[in-house]
Amino acid sequence: MPDSDIVILGTGIHPFGRFDKTPEDLGVHAARQALGEAGLEWSDIQAAYLTRMYLPATSGARILRRLGSSDISIVDIEAACASGGAGLRQAVLAIRSGEVDTALVLGVEKMPRGFMDPSMIYADWQVRMGLSMNPAYWSMRARRHMHEFGTTEEQIARVAWKNHRNSVENPNAMYRKAFTMEQILASKPVCDPIRLLEICAPNDGAAAVVVTTARRARQLGGEPVAIEACAHTVARYSADFRCPADSMSATISNPGPTRVTSQKAYEQAGCGPDDIDCFEVQDTDAFCEIEICEQLGLCERGEGGPMAEEGHTEIGGRCPVNMSGGLISKGEPVGASHLGQVVEIVSQLRGRSGARQVEGARVGLAHVLGAGGNCAVTILAA
Amino acid sequence: MGDETAAGELLPVNEGLVTGIDNEPRDVQLLGSKCDRCGEVSLGANAVCLNCGSDRITGIRLAPEGELWTYTVIRHRPPGGYLGPDPFEPFAIGLVELPDGIRVMAPLAGDVDSFEIGCRLRLEPWILQSRDGPAYRAFRFAAVAG
Ligand SMILES: [Zn+2]
């Protein structure tokens, strides 16, 4: 793997959950922590990116002015569930261009309760006809996968069981409660075959990273983690059936967003899935994690269910996935979710994840996927 | 100003998506777009091909019958301005593969437990009445009898 010239020097997170706090409160908490860990002041930051989906215009400037006055570039970035990855990529590009050497990427979200407002992504007619339920799209993918590959409801539940169990050890998760397989399989179907304990909930939270050059990191000391790759794509037509699509081609089968984006990331990093020790991936629902493991190349197509069932994705397994508990237990503050994954991977690569530590983790991957086929993949190395 | 006015104002659920059949104003057909360059068919009247971007498009009417490709059941009232039955009744939705080479997402009429992948379905009109405003000509699929 080539030496990366760009590193993460500091990370910060405000726990994910539901809080009586403003976006400013959440964001400042995470940003201060990231700056502190990097041993830097706000005045050392030369460019800042605020990643969010549901906050109003110029939220970056509104939040970051609480850290002090500045005249740097502060930009809001939105790419649905992949917002954090799109923002991190901009920081990497800005530093690689030579214009700046230290940047802050801050993800903040404060989400409405329950199902997201459908008018943000769906057309009026889809809403009128009842086609605006996000979980329905994931559930239809699950149903088709079960049909084609024999994936079972127990295998899907096993993913939820693992992620809820992992979250018990994560103080930044919203739910920190283990459930039995029986409890998960007895929870109410939301959209068959996906059940209530198998889906993530939108919530509030913030996460931040300080990004700089390897050279500057050597001057500053600390525990830099290299950014080996950071890729973002929006899927081409009919590569992927995902909300808010109203139809898909029955004749075209392009590789989907996760396959395309992870391939770009693997090429940037000069590595493949077998070289990676731990993964944080989009588990919007438990089935989603199964399919993404296949698309990231952790197993063959159709083998994701058995891989989960046999425990290979548990901490201590062949390829641990969602050591943090995943979005199913952390909740999904959309604009902050990818940076939250990055915070987890950095902690893993520094060997500081306590009871959820993957032994000897040297390389980790974070993956998000959402509306419109937005996908981001970041690969980090100690 | 013909039959439709007599039957009350009936608007397409979306412009360029559905149309009636002559003399049966409450019936429904799905509109589609076929690309003259790459041949791809997309749902609705589109100005450009969603696949290749060409603007050489021929408007078509999609086949009314197809096979269920996948489905799910909506167990809770969808958020926003859903115009289906009130009080809410759980209903199935699915992707229906039509011989035109497209899978269309649509509500499915009938018992939510009666569907399986591969079953034959036929388009039918679904009239949605808004509370104070117009009725809409929408669509869904139902099992082919026999
Ligand atoms: Zn075309």
Side-chain angles (χ1 to χ4, degrees):
Chain A
M1 191 170 296
D3 271 349
S4 166
D5 52 345
I6 298 179
V7 301
I8 291 173
L9 191 57
T11 62
I13 189 164
H14 185 289
F16 293 0
R18 285 167 184 152
F19 306 99
D20 188 18
K21 291 183 177 182
T22 64
E24 286 81 357
D25 297 334
L26 301 169
V28 164
H29 177 101
R32 282 228 168 90
Q33 213 177 69
L35 288 166
E37 206 182 272
L40 292 170
E41 304 289 332
W42 169 235
S43 56
D44 295 316
I45 299 297
Q46 297 156 333
Y49 302 89
L50 187 282
T51 67
R52 50 82 181 163
M53 185 170 177
Y54 284 82
L55 299 185
T58 69
S59 283
R62 293 186 217 202
I63 292 168
L64 289 169
R65 74 161 63 111
R66 304 293 181 92
L67 293 175
S69 183
S70 80
D71 48 16
I72 62 170
S73 170
I74 299 176
V75 184
D76 286 17
I77 290 176
E78 188 275 312
C81 304
S83 298
L88 181 58
R89 179 170 171 274
Q90 289 305 312
V92 168
L93 293 175
I95 293 170
R96 189 157 287 151
S97 80
E99 192 191 294
V100 305
D101 74 8
T102 305
L104 175 76
V105 190
L106 170 62
V108 182
E109 205 69 82
K110 190 157 180 74
M111 305 280 293
R113 299 288 177 265
F115 292 108
M116 301 180 194
D117 174 9
S119 67
M120 276 192 70
I121 49 177
Y122 294 101
D124 287 347
W125 70 271
Q126 292 176 295
V127 176
R128 289 178 191 133
M129 287 173 59
L131 302 176
S132 59
M133 290 277 273
N134 295 359
Y137 291 75
W138 321 327
S139 300
M140 288 193 292
R141 299 177 71 85
R143 174 70 67 195
R144 184 70 198 180
H145 200 273
M146 290 166 73
H147 175 77
E148 287 187 26
F149 302 110
T151 307
T152 66
E153 294 189 41
E154 286 73 19
Q155 290 167 346
I156 295 171
R158 180 66 183 247
V159 171
W161 173 84
K162 166 182 69 74
N163 291 358
H164 282 299
R165 192 186 59 166
N166 287 352
S167 78
V168 173
E169 305 293 344
N170 183 359
N172 296 314
M174 177 162 65
Y175 306 120
R176 297 179 60 191
K177 184 167 164 27
F179 294 93
T180 64
M181 284 289 287
E182 291 71 29
Q183 285 173 314
I184 292 164
L185 286 165
S187 68
K188 279 188 192 156
V190 175
C191 292
D192 310 30
I194 302 298
R195 300 166 187 286
L196 192 59
L197 287 174
E198 297 173 335
I199 64 170
C200 78
N203 64 357
D204 312 339
V209 293
V210 171
V211 185
T212 190
T213 58
R215 179 203 306 254
R216 179 115 165 87
R218 277 193 295 275
Q219 294 162 358
L220 288 163
E223 296 180 286
V225 164
I227 302 177
E228 300 289 344
C230 183
H232 168 244
T233 55
V234 178
R236 65 173 62 219
Y237 174 66
S238 212
D240 189 50
F241 184 73
R242 194 163 295 281
C243 63
D246 55 32
S247 59
M248 68 185 288
S249 174
T251 59
I252 300 176
S253 57
N254 294 315
T258 296
R259 222 171 257 291
V260 170
T261 314
S262 61
Q263 208 52 50
K264 281 185 191 175
Y266 292 144
E267 277 167 29
Q268 282 178 24
C271 75
D274 294 344
D275 302 311
I276 296 173
D277 305 310
C278 59
F279 300 80
E280 288 281 313
V281 312
Q282 179 90 27
D283 57 334
T284 317
D285 64 290
F287 166 73
C288 180
E289 180 177 309
I290 287 176
E291 191 180 41
I292 284 162
C293 287
E294 298 173 5
Q295 293 168 341
L296 289 174
L298 307 191
C299 61
E300 292 297 313
R301 191 157 173 256
E303 290 298 315
M307 186 171 77
E309 191 167 39
E310 290 159 18
H312 297 303
T313 55
E314 291 171 26
I315 295 168
R318 178 170 65 81
C319 40
V321 176
N322 285 330
M323 300 74 65
S324 69
L327 306 179
I328 285 178
S329 57
K330 288 187 293 188
E332 188 188 19
V334 176
S337 62
H338 187 67
L339 296 173
Q341 295 176 325
V342 167
V343 170
E344 174 70 18
I345 297 287
V346 167
S347 154
Q348 290 282 346
L349 301 184
R350 286 171 172 169
R352 297 187 181 281
S353 291
R356 58 182 202 282
Q357 180 67 42
V358 173
E359 282 306 315
R362 304 285 300 165
V363 185
L365 179 151
H367 161 278
V368 276
L369 174 62
N374 265 286
C375 182
V377 172
T378 299
I379 298 175
L380 305 174
Chain B
M1 308 297 282
D3 299 341
E4 297 198 9
T5 309
E9 193 183 10
L10 186 65
L11 300 177
V13 72
N14 195 47
E15 211 55 57
L17 179 65
V18 290
T19 185
I21 299 173
D22 293 343
N23 304 322
E24 293 181 64
R26 297 184 83 83
D27 211 331
V28 69
Q29 280 188 314
L30 287 176
L31 298 174
S33 302
K34 187 173 176 67
C35 177
D36 295 344
R37 186 160 82 183
C38 76
E40 186 65 20
V41 168
S42 54
L43 178 66
N46 298 308
V48 297
C49 172
L50 303 181
N51 183 43
C52 77
S54 168
D55 60 1
R56 291 184 294 120
I57 300 287
T58 303
I60 61 170
R61 295 182 179 209
L62 299 179
E65 212 173 293
E67 275 186 9
L68 189 57
W69 194 74
T70 187
Y71 66 100
T72 185
V73 179
I74 307 290
R75 299 277 174 188
H76 305 279
R77 188 174 193 87
Y82 170 60
L83 295 180
D86 193 7
F88 175 74
E89 293 165 16
F91 64 104
I93 65 174
L95 277 167
V96 183
E97 184 164 328
L98 303 178
D100 306 280
I102 186 171
R103 300 177 190 131
V104 175
M105 186 166 164
L108 308 179
D111 180 356
V112 297
D113 296 319
S114 66
F115 299 100
E116 56 185 42
I117 288 173
C119 71
R120 297 288 303 169
L121 298 167
R122 188 174 177 84
L123 189 70
E124 67 172 35
W126 190 29
I127 307 301
L128 296 174
Q129 180 62 55
S130 60
R131 193 177 297 265
D132 305 313
Y136 293 102
R137 187 202 307 277
F139 61 94
R140 57 187 180 181
F141 283 82
V144 174

